[in-house]
Amino acid sequence: MHGSLSEAGPAAFFAAISTAFSTAAVEIRVLAFRHMAEARIYVVEDEPDIAEVLAYNLRKEGFEVALEARGDAALEAIRRERPDLVILDLMLPGVDGLEITRTLKRDAATAGIPIVMLTARGEEVDRIVGLELGADDYISKPFSPREVVLRAKAVLRRMQPGGDGDGAAAEREVVSVGQIELDTAAHRVLVRGREVTLTATEFRLLKLMMERRGRVQTRSRLLSDVWGYAEDVDSRTVDTHIRRLRRKLRDEADRIETIIGVGYRLRE
């Protein structure tokens, strides 16, 4: 088969390719890759060695990287030039990472910026508080630079249209369960007619659970399908996001049921 395609020339070869892949899907994947490669990442880390290693590895993947060692200076810079992602250490001079997260998430102009926290192993309470405040993910020190790059890509991928990874163009789709209405194309959620503001991760989590309503979703399955991570990631990430989601759903919060020792289910 390869020989016949080669003999037929490039036109036949590309015609064969087009029958296997949708042109629209290919274009979306190319654009998504290009957007991710051009993403601007702000690394806020006061340890110079760690900051430089992270910057080197992120730049090697094509990202634009800015470094800042002080929390107060980082806040000013982020407000001045909005990045696509912030990688944020918690222990910082000037303003600590938790206060930065709280400030960014309270401001409508910066609330949508995804945040990945860098935490020491002994900072579990701070880690949970950070997730509660709106951080999208955390990485415990010590970590490999490759892990940070992969996590950054996963978070950025979730922020993109069509970020579910199916390559399909975003279509207007409204999913309703009870008094919860989710509009995929508009990235909008209404609860009993009132709009609620969700982060990209919260929106993706709710969308998945609404689409799989009535079925139990294990923590490991949610980590894989929502975050794109392996099962060895701390399940507190899932639990904290579910808790945050319930709080935002208000009167519809009880629709998310906890299946003890297993995971969660969104009831009809």
Side-chain angles (χ1 to χ4, degrees):
M1 180 176 177
H2 294 291
S4 63
L5 281 176
S6 299
E7 292 168 4
F13 176 78
F14 284 109
I17 290 293
S18 66
T19 61
F21 299 99
S22 160
T23 301
V26 171
E27 288 178 350
I28 287 171
R29 288 185 183 277
V30 170
L31 290 172
F33 175 80
R34 185 181 303 157
H35 174 76
M36 186 179 295
E38 295 172 351
R40 176 179 174 82
I41 299 178
Y42 219 101
V43 176
V44 188
E45 169 61 68
D46 64 334
E47 295 185 42
D49 291 345
I50 294 178
E52 290 299 332
V53 167
L54 290 178
Y56 171 79
N57 281 272
L58 290 165
R59 286 170 181 151
K60 192 167 66 172
E61 295 293 322
F63 295 112
E64 180 184 347
V65 181
L67 298 177
E68 184 54 67
R70 291 185 58 87
D72 46 3
L75 265 178
E76 293 179 13
I78 291 168
R79 286 166 169 162
R80 186 169 58 248
E81 187 173 2
R82 190 181 190 277
D84 297 291
L85 172 68
V86 175
I87 297 177
L88 178 67
D89 189 24
L90 289 187
M91 302 299 292
L92 294 167
V95 178
D96 67 43
L98 291 179
E99 185 57 36
I100 290 175
T101 301
R102 182 181 291 108
T103 301
L104 292 178
K105 294 302 179 180
R106 282 179 175 173
D107 187 342
T110 57
I113 300 174
I115 298 173
V116 176
M117 300 182 302
L118 304 178
T119 70
R121 290 194 182 278
E123 297 173 347
E124 183 178 1
V125 173
D126 287 341
R127 198 158 62 219
I128 293 172
V129 171
L131 290 170
E132 289 278 5
L133 290 174
D136 292 80
D137 198 4
Y138 70 87
I139 304 172
S140 296
K141 298 179 181 180
F143 49 75
S144 72
R146 183 62 182 162
E147 179 187 8
V148 177
V149 171
L150 291 175
R151 295 286 189 93
K153 286 182 175 180
V155 171
L156 288 169
R157 192 160 50 242
R158 294 198 298 269
M159 297 295 294
Q160 296 171 358
D164 293 343
D166 56 8
E171 298 179 356
R172 188 167 187 84
E173 178 188 358
V174 177
V175 184
S176 297
V177 178
Q179 295 296 313
I180 306 171
E181 183 177 293
L182 182 145
D183 187 329
T184 301
H187 204 276
R188 188 182 185 203
V189 174
L190 299 178
V191 177
R192 303 202 173 192
R194 297 181 61 183
E195 185 168 1
V196 297
T197 302
L198 303 182
T199 66
T201 303
E202 291 166 350
F203 185 90
R204 185 176 171 87
L205 176 60
L206 179 60
K207 177 176 180 289
L208 183 143
M209 295 193 70
M210 290 178 71
E211 291 173 340
R212 300 177 183 175
R213 54 191 175 274
R215 289 180 282 167
V216 177
Q217 302 301 308
T218 65
R219 288 176 175 83
S220 60
R221 181 71 183 272
L222 291 172
L223 280 170
S224 173
D225 293 351
V226 177
W227 281 264
Y229 300 153
E231 296 181 13
D232 58 353
V233 178
D234 190 346
S235 64
R236 286 184 183 273
T237 300
V238 176
D239 297 338
T240 303
H241 276 81
I242 288 287
R243 185 162 57 247
R244 227 165 60 196
L245 191 54
R246 279 173 169 157
R247 191 159 55 237
K248 292 184 177 182
L249 293 178
R250 297 183 180 177
D251 294 338
E252 292 290 301
D254 291 344
R255 201 166 287 280
I256 300 179
E257 301 175 329
T258 300
I259 310 302
I260 298 175
V262 181
Y264 298 96
R265 174 176 58 206
L266 187 80
R267 64 179 174 82
E268 297 275 4

